[in-house]
Amino acid sequence: MRRIVLVTSLILSAAPAVSNAAPATQIQGAEQRLLAAQHVAPIPPATLDSLRNALALMKQDQAQAVLFQVDARIFAARMEGLAEIRGQEAQQRQLDGLQEQVQRLGTQYQALQAEYGHLRQQLAAKTMSTAQTQHLEQEIQQQKTQLQQEEKRVAALAGQSQQSAAPAYAKALTVYAQVRAASDGVHVSMPAASLFADNARLSSAGRQRLQAMASILKQASASQVLVRVAPQPGGISLATQRAEAILHALRQDGIPDRVLALATGSGLTPGTAELLLVGQAAP
């Protein structure tokens, strides 16, 4: 019964598109995606376990259409997260290769400068023609221009790498809330009404949603999770009570107490509850 209530809430949330094919066909497709991903490169054990668990839930719930679609969305989100991590790793390898190329070009440039200096000495002794000097100067200038271009490419790629998108786990969180990466951390927002039955008491659906989100947040490696609730019509006191209820639920679901903290909801859109994840470890 608790899962059915959770599913009703999840369907109202933004989620990745899932095929309307028969469950058996979707399960077969999911298994093929997982096998293909394993053939491309080894998958970290923790990530592989989470994908296999999601696939097991799809098989378990295939007779219940609503639950099955939620399981399928979670599996798809985790596969997208894996693809994003691999893309970042490929980008880093490309960046490393370009940096090595720049180093080689720098070495070549220094060698040409040394040769140029030697030829200048020969010119002083009237043993080298003006045409040879001009040719060598042109070659040095070409090498210098190429080196500058490669340095710009490396700088651009390094900038793209530093401005990477939200961490991979954020994809899974989009099943339950709106996720936005910003300079101060990752913002996970949802309507407060989707969590509370009335006043400061969590509804069954809200409790289920927080429990599911907590299982994903355990993988986030955040140094702090700030709980924020926008001021309510009932006043600041009601917003504080609601934030405390969310914090207490997350603590019960295994989020370490040292990570959790309350923060003011000032500036949030009215009727919004938010988790702000700060101090992220490198994805």
Side-chain angles (χ1 to χ4, degrees):
M1 181 63 184
R2 294 176 62 195
R3 294 195 64 190
I4 293 176
V5 173
L6 172 61
V7 167
T8 302
S9 175
L10 293 177
I11 294 302
L12 298 176
S13 302
V18 176
S19 171
N20 290 324
T25 302
Q26 293 189 51
I27 290 172
Q28 183 180 9
E31 291 175 335
Q32 292 174 350
R33 286 185 64 189
L34 182 55
L35 287 174
Q38 289 178 286
H39 288 157
V40 171
I43 300 175
T47 302
L48 182 58
D49 286 344
S50 68
L51 288 167
R52 285 174 173 169
N53 289 339
L55 189 56
L57 284 175
M58 289 175 64
K59 294 178 179 178
Q60 175 184 320
D61 296 335
Q62 60 182 306
Q64 303 181 55
V66 178
L67 288 177
F68 176 82
Q69 291 304 315
V70 173
D71 296 335
R73 290 191 181 94
I74 292 175
F75 177 86
R78 290 178 178 172
M79 287 297 295
E80 290 176 9
L82 174 63
E84 182 174 345
I85 290 175
R86 287 182 169 177
Q88 292 173 352
E89 291 173 347
Q91 186 181 47
Q92 185 61 47
R93 289 194 295 270
Q94 182 184 12
L95 178 60
D96 292 342
L98 285 172
Q99 288 176 333
E100 292 177 359
Q101 185 175 356
V102 167
Q103 290 177 351
R104 289 195 298 270
L105 288 171
T107 301
Q108 293 174 6
Y109 178 63
Q110 291 175 355
L112 284 171
Q113 282 186 318
E115 183 181 356
Y116 178 65
H118 178 66
L119 290 175
R120 288 292 299 267
Q121 291 177 356
Q122 290 182 355
L123 180 62
K126 298 182 180 181
T127 59
M128 188 178 80
S129 69
T130 302
Q132 288 176 307
T133 303
Q134 292 176 344
H135 175 75
L136 184 57
E137 286 177 342
Q138 290 175 355
E139 186 176 355
I140 290 175
Q141 185 59 41
Q142 290 175 354
Q143 290 286 341
K144 183 177 180 179
T145 301
Q146 185 177 1
L147 177 62
Q148 291 173 343
Q149 292 174 345
E150 292 298 329
E151 286 176 341
K152 289 180 180 179
R153 287 184 61 193
V154 170
L157 282 173
Q160 293 175 5
S161 178
Q162 293 172 356
Q163 298 172 2
S164 57
Y169 67 84
K171 295 286 187 180
L173 285 173
T174 59
V175 176
Y176 309 101
Q178 293 183 346
V179 181
R180 175 177 60 87
S183 59
D184 58 345
V186 177
H187 296 253
V188 182
S189 305
M190 68 211 86
S194 67
L195 298 177
F196 294 92
D198 55 18
N199 294 333
R201 184 172 62 86
L202 288 169
S203 64
S204 296
R207 187 67 187 86
Q208 291 280 355
R209 176 181 293 210
L210 290 175
Q211 187 176 35
M213 292 173 65
S215 66
I216 299 172
L217 292 175
K218 291 175 186 176
Q219 306 174 25
S221 300
S223 63
Q224 195 167 41
V225 177
L226 302 179
V227 182
R228 309 173 64 202
V229 176
Q232 305 295 306
I236 297 177
S237 176
L238 177 57
T240 301
Q241 292 173 6
R242 287 187 166 185
E244 289 175 345
I246 294 173
L247 185 146
H248 180 69
L250 292 175
R251 182 188 295 124
Q252 287 184 325
D253 292 332
I255 303 300
D257 191 55
R258 68 179 184 278
V259 172
L260 294 168
L262 295 178
T264 176
S266 299
L268 290 180
T269 303
T272 299
E274 179 182 270
L275 304 179
L276 175 57
L277 282 62
V278 298
Q280 294 296 307

